[in-house]
Amino acid sequence: KAGVTQTPRYLIKTRGQQVTLSCSPISGHRSVSWYQQTPGQGLQFLFEYFSETQRNKGNFPGRFSGRQFSNSRSEMNVSTLELGDSALYLCASSLAEVVAGRETQYFGPGTRLLVL
Amino acid sequence: GNSVTQMEGPVTLSEEAFLTINCTYTATGYPSLFWYVQYPGEGLQLLLKATKADDKGSNKGFEATYRKETTSFHLEKGSVQVSDSAVYFCALLIQGAQKLVFGQGTRLTINP
């Protein structure tokens, strides 16, 4: 079974631009979570989607948004990029049926975003 | 709140040495506990997990036991190899939310 895939793998943008990252979960997984990894803050939870609905959200500004499609693929968008948004963005998928919080998350390789 | 504290790194060992990476947690309810490993330039790989007290997770020679009384989930391996060099993350999954809370990571280097 194919793992979690993320595109693109690398991205360079300039301040003020916006960016969209894509994540395709493991087949059959309906929950997709996004995390930001930086050297200073470590791994931080952005949000989680299940059945096209945002179910949980972390403490990030409104510039960070996401969505999920009917095939469970997910995108996250960052608008008005800042230098501090440079990070590795990781997507994880899980079965996570109706009751969340018990399913193992499997991670993709990440998208490395550099903001200049 | 929910938090995970890991042993400060980096940790450098010789091949075939015994490894322990300490992890303690604070959580409301009964979280599931995980160890993930990250190799250079890659995402996170699940190493092992435990979903309730006294469960032992194991994989590739690594082990960790969910200790509720000490709120700990220490990672151990009896004989490390150069290929085990990576960053290791301890994490808890919050009950009722698909949200992982991670420790700060421990960089492990194994010298031949």
Side-chain angles (χ1 to χ4, degrees):
Chain A
K1 189 184 275 193
V4 178
T5 57
Q6 292 187 245
T7 56
R9 292 292 309 277
Y10 304 93
L11 211 44
I12 301 175
K13 293 286 187 180
T14 56
R15 276 181 299 176
Q17 287 188 309
Q18 76 163 20
V19 67
T20 299
L21 312 181
S22 181
C23 171
S24 292
I26 293 170
S27 177
H29 285 192
R30 295 168 64 192
S31 169
V32 173
S33 300
W34 288 89
Y35 296 83
Q36 181 196 63
Q37 185 178 23
T38 60
Q41 299 298 317
L43 282 151
Q44 294 186 286
F45 173 79
L46 281 155
F47 29 66
E48 183 236 355
Y49 285 86
F50 177 79
S51 287
E52 302 178 64
T53 301
Q54 187 181 89
R55 198 161 56 169
N56 294 286
K57 190 176 188 308
N59 296 324
F60 279 81
R63 300 185 297 106
F64 291 82
S65 63
R67 59 178 176 168
Q68 186 180 35
F69 302 94
S70 58
N71 61 358
S72 294
R73 191 177 71 83
S74 177
E75 289 181 347
M76 69 163 279
N77 184 276
V78 188
S79 63
T80 321
L81 283 166
E82 300 177 359
L83 296 180
D85 297 332
S86 295
L88 181 66
Y89 290 88
L90 292 162
C91 161
S93 77
S94 64
L95 284 170
E97 295 298 333
V98 176
V99 177
R102 284 296 176 202
E103 297 291 340
T104 300
Q105 296 188 13
Y106 298 90
F107 285 80
T111 294
R112 188 164 297 279
L113 171 65
L114 177 61
V115 182
L116 300 175
Chain B
N2 300 291
S3 66
V4 175
T5 302
Q6 269 181 252
M7 179 172 147
E8 288 283 336
V11 174
T12 303
L13 295 172
S14 298
E15 205 166 21
E16 299 183 3
F18 184 85
L19 169 71
T20 299
I21 301 178
N22 289 338
C23 171
T24 57
Y25 67 91
T26 302
T28 53
Y30 303 96
S32 296
L33 300 174
F34 302 84
W35 278 99
Y36 284 89
V37 59
Q38 186 174 37
Y39 297 99
E42 298 185 11
L44 300 178
Q45 293 182 24
L46 176 68
L47 184 57
L48 52 83
K49 69 177 183 180
T51 57
K52 61 183 187 299
D54 299 324
D55 267 2
K56 178 188 280 188
S58 61
N59 185 28
K60 299 181 182 178
F62 291 90
E63 293 182 340
T65 301
Y66 190 143
R67 301 282 187 205
K68 188 163 172 281
E69 63 275 13
T70 54
T71 60
S72 65
F73 193 54
H74 304 320
L75 182 67
E76 296 183 335
K77 187 175 184 183
S79 177
V80 292
Q81 306 299 314
V82 172
S83 56
D84 294 327
S85 298
V87 181
Y88 291 79
F89 292 92
C90 183
L92 65 83
L93 187 61
I94 296 175
Q95 189 178 34
Q98 275 303 109
K99 171 183 174 179
L100 284 164
V101 174
F102 288 90
Q104 69 270 38
T106 302
R107 182 175 298 280
L108 173 66
T109 301
I110 307 300
N111 294 320

